[in-house]
Amino acid sequence: VNDEFEGAPFRDEETKFLYAYDYETKNCMRVWGTGFKPALYKALRRSRVKVYQRTMATMLLTETGKPGSRVIGCTALNVRTGEFFIFKARAVVMCMATPERLWIFSSEMTGLVGRDGPPTNAGNGHAMAFRAGAEFVRMESSTHEEWGGATGIGSTMFGSGSNFASWYPCTIIDARGKEIPWLGKDGKILENVADRTRPKPDDGFFHLVLGPEEGKAPSIPQMISDLDERIKSGEYSLPLYADLPGMPEHDRRAIFGLMIGQEGHTWPVYRRLTGAGFDPDQDLLQVYDMGYAPLGWRRLRYGSLAHDWTLKSNLDGLWGAGQQIFDNIGVSQASSTGRWAGTHAAEYAKNAPVGAIVRHQVDAEKERVYAPVMRDRGMNWKELSGGIAKVMQDYCGDNKNEELMNICLEYLNEIKEAEATTLVARNPHELMRSVETMDILTCCEIITHACQARKASCSWIFFDRLDYQEDDPPEWHKWVTIRMAENGQVTTGELALDYAGDLERNY
């Protein structure tokens, strides 16, 4: 609105909207990140939505008090006062994102290092829904190498030089100043930066929206896919650098000032770099992880609630949205799926009765949540979270077999029955982190059980088993499901890949 990017090739002069990636199709908008939450809050106030700030949900309440029955509300904890809440509901929409901090954890680095997302993405929604009996699918595809290679630290990819996401379409050069080529869909080298932002995808709505089939070229230009091999052969020399000074001015300002300066996970990096004297107009920035380039990157694939076309789970009264469902990431998917799930949940709620709260379910949850503040001595949440991550690294890493996963489940169960029962919290903030850590433990159990259930490797979900190395054999070309039964036992099942029906007609 202040015309900061007037005349930029990614700006629509009539609306003043700014676009990313594809400057012709204009299907991805850039926004000022620091203004987004205030705008959302104002919209909620206009709609008279009652918001409970600083309040974390801890458990879904069910009609019978057991897993598998209708969801009728939830319990929650105020993370500033420690107050306990009981919410009744005719319908619930869960949108608490994906589990993070499962394999990599360090509280001593900037923030709670795990991946690139908010550190409060501790899998609370996954854990709550699982304990309520909701069915999950493709949880075995969760991996510690998504976003950040062997380090598992997503902020490296966004906070150093890159060519991915916030950094697209940055020019990358090697230690000798040699530029790394970009390729179009036809495999031809693109001659300039402008060509990287004007892709020529195949015709077809679903190809554009949902992405290409496995094995085909991506829908936007990318850097050469054999960069690793070319580095090993000596054609390019490490280290690599993001060449911001070599970019057109508008693109350089958009990458560093707008994207890196306005995203939550990059704002600390922006402050540190500029505070140390980094000048994007004249300085290079070293590359540690290049996203789409083949330096350890894996495509985003998340396990999620199994759901139908209305985003309803297998439980009556429970819907999912945002990163609580398949492969969603970013505000556009969160907004659209939230609106869709909310619409159907509201329709359901019109005729759904208010369920009676089962008191012993609430009492048991209060006892579980408040247990850490009732102890004077014991383990703090940081130590427990680090221990869980170490177990997952050692026994449920990239290479798996039956013995490793048996040991993993044994250790996770020992932690649940021993160390987790000694958690100590001195204040509401530490209590919040303690509850998060217990939910992380549940998410690790879900993932390990799902990994154990798939008796085959599957490269398209980046799942490797040393004892079942055949890649996606016909009998395993299906979804593996996992849920908690009414008796509290973990059960697995399966769904056909097209269980929700024809894609184009339903879409």
Side-chain angles (χ1 to χ4, degrees):
V1 294
N2 296 322
D3 293 325
E4 296 95 329
F5 288 94
E6 186 174 7
F10 48 80
R11 184 179 193 252
D12 180 83
E13 295 300 329
E14 182 179 353
T15 63
K16 300 188 179 185
F17 287 154
L18 308 180
Y19 294 93
Y21 305 122
D22 182 348
Y23 297 173
E24 297 292 331
T25 306
K26 298 178 180 176
N27 57 13
C28 185
M29 292 178 61
R30 303 182 199 259
V31 298
W32 298 104
T34 51
F36 206 90
K37 190 175 285 188
L40 177 62
Y41 179 69
K42 290 176 182 177
L44 289 168
R45 289 195 64 181
R46 283 197 302 272
S47 301
R48 293 181 299 214
V49 174
K50 191 170 184 179
V51 178
Y52 286 80
Q53 299 267 30
R54 307 293 180 182
T55 304
M56 71 180 299
T58 68
M59 182 187 190
L60 290 173
L61 297 172
T62 56
E63 201 161 34
T64 64
K66 296 179 180 180
S69 56
R70 181 168 72 102
V71 174
I72 59 171
C74 76
T75 60
L77 177 74
N78 186 294
V79 301
R80 293 293 178 87
T81 66
E83 185 178 3
F84 193 83
F85 290 88
I86 302 170
F87 292 94
K88 293 183 178 182
R90 288 183 169 88
V92 173
V93 179
M94 300 192 74
C95 40
M96 286 184 274
T98 50
E100 317 229 348
R101 296 158 40 196
L102 270 59
W103 281 271
I104 301 292
F105 173 77
S106 173
S107 63
E108 309 313 315
M109 301 175 71
T110 302
L112 307 180
V113 174
R115 242 197 64 232
D116 70 301
T120 46
N121 287 2
N124 305 102
H126 279 51
M128 289 165 51
F130 182 74
R131 291 193 290 261
E135 188 174 53
F136 282 79
V137 68
R138 212 186 63 195
M139 289 301 294
E140 71 274 20
S141 71
S142 307
T143 170
H144 78 285
E145 279 208 350
E146 287 177 348
W147 295 94
T151 63
I153 301 173
S155 58
T156 301
M157 183 177 64
F158 287 105
S160 67
S162 175
N163 70 319
F164 170 72
S166 312
W167 288 85
Y168 190 92
C170 190
T171 299
I172 306 296
I173 60 175
D174 76 350
R176 296 183 296 236
K178 186 176 180 181
E179 187 173 315
I180 312 298
W182 284 67
L183 303 177
K185 279 181 62 65
D186 56 6
K188 294 181 180 179
I189 292 177
L190 302 176
E191 299 297 333
N192 53 57
V193 174
D195 289 342
R196 303 170 196 167
T197 59
R198 290 176 173 81
K200 300 177 178 59
D202 297 341
D203 293 332
F205 173 75
F206 285 93
H207 180 82
L208 280 170
V209 175
L210 303 177
E213 295 174 16
E214 292 296 328
K216 290 189 176 180
S219 57
I220 57 176
Q222 301 293 341
M223 294 185 66
I224 52 175
S225 60
D226 59 347
L227 179 57
D228 279 357
E229 288 73 21
R230 296 200 195 191
I231 290 173
K232 291 174 183 176
S233 71
E235 183 177 353
Y236 298 101
S237 298
L238 295 175
L240 305 179
Y241 297 92
D243 184 16
L244 285 171
M247 297 288 293
E249 181 184 0
H250 283 307
D251 286 298
R252 177 171 67 250
R253 290 175 55 219
I255 289 172
F256 196 75
L258 172 57
M259 304 307 295
I260 304 304
Q262 288 282 314
E263 294 197 61
H265 53 249
T266 56
W267 171 236
V269 176
Y270 179 83
R271 283 185 300 170
R272 286 176 181 242
L273 285 172
T274 53
F278 176 78
D279 182 356
D281 293 334
Q282 64 180 22
D283 297 330
L284 305 177
L285 194 61
Q286 190 169 332
V287 173
Y288 293 95
D289 194 330
M290 296 219 314
Y292 279 124
L295 298 183
W297 183 80
R298 292 188 165 203
R299 181 177 298 184
L300 280 170
R301 295 197 184 278
Y302 296 126
S304 73
L305 281 172
H307 55 80
D308 63 15
W309 280 98
T310 70
L311 307 185
K312 180 180 176 295
S313 73
N314 64 302
L315 301 181
D316 284 342
L318 182 65
W319 280 257
Q323 283 183 270
Q324 205 83 67
I325 60 174
F326 273 144
D327 284 344
N328 269 262
I329 185 169
V331 70
S332 57
Q333 291 95 329
S335 299
S336 57
T337 57
R339 188 181 185 92
W340 185 249
T343 297
H344 290 281
E347 284 295 320
Y348 171 89
K350 287 180 181 178
N351 301 311
V354 176
I357 300 296
V358 178
R359 190 65 221 182
H360 71 79
Q361 188 181 30
V362 174
D363 291 340
E365 179 63 3
K366 285 184 72 173
E367 184 178 354
R368 182 186 79 90
V369 168
Y370 284 131
V373 298
M374 301 299 178
R375 303 183 186 106
D376 295 324
R377 291 184 298 175
M379 180 176 288
N380 66 47
W381 67 271
K382 295 181 182 181
E383 188 176 0
L384 183 61
S385 193
I388 295 169
K390 182 60 175 170
V391 169
M392 294 298 285
Q393 288 174 26
D394 289 348
Y395 302 105
C396 194
D398 285 346
N399 296 310
K400 308 172 182 70
N401 63 23
E402 194 73 15
E403 184 174 0
L404 284 171
M405 289 183 286
N406 282 333
I407 296 172
C408 187
L409 289 172
E410 185 177 336
Y411 273 144
L412 293 175
N413 189 59
E414 286 182 6
I415 289 173
K416 181 166 60 176
E417 294 182 353
E419 286 85 355
T421 64
T422 69
L423 266 178
V424 172
R426 299 169 296 178
N427 51 55
H429 177 79
E430 289 187 359
L431 182 59
M432 171 190 71
R433 295 296 184 209
S434 298
V435 173
E436 285 180 348
T437 305
M438 290 188 283
D439 283 344
I440 286 172
L441 183 58
T442 298
C443 290
C444 290
E445 290 180 304
I446 298 171
I447 289 169
T448 309
H449 278 293
C451 290
Q452 202 170 38
R454 182 174 285 276
K455 310 292 187 185
S457 295
C458 186
S459 58
W460 65 274
I461 58 171
F462 304 109
F463 181 74
D464 301 310
R465 284 198 60 157
L466 298 174
D467 47 353
Y468 295 97
Q469 295 189 14
E470 185 178 358
D471 185 24
D472 196 25
E475 64 271 23
W476 283 98
H477 201 59
K478 58 189 175 185
W479 300 123
V480 170
T481 65
I482 182 168
R483 67 181 180 87
M484 182 177 286
E486 185 175 333
N487 61 5
Q489 296 299 307
V490 176
T491 63
T492 59
E494 61 184 56
L495 287 171
L497 293 182
D498 59 351
Y499 77 92
D502 180 72
L503 175 67
E504 188 168 356
R505 184 175 67 252
N506 282 290
Y507 196 87

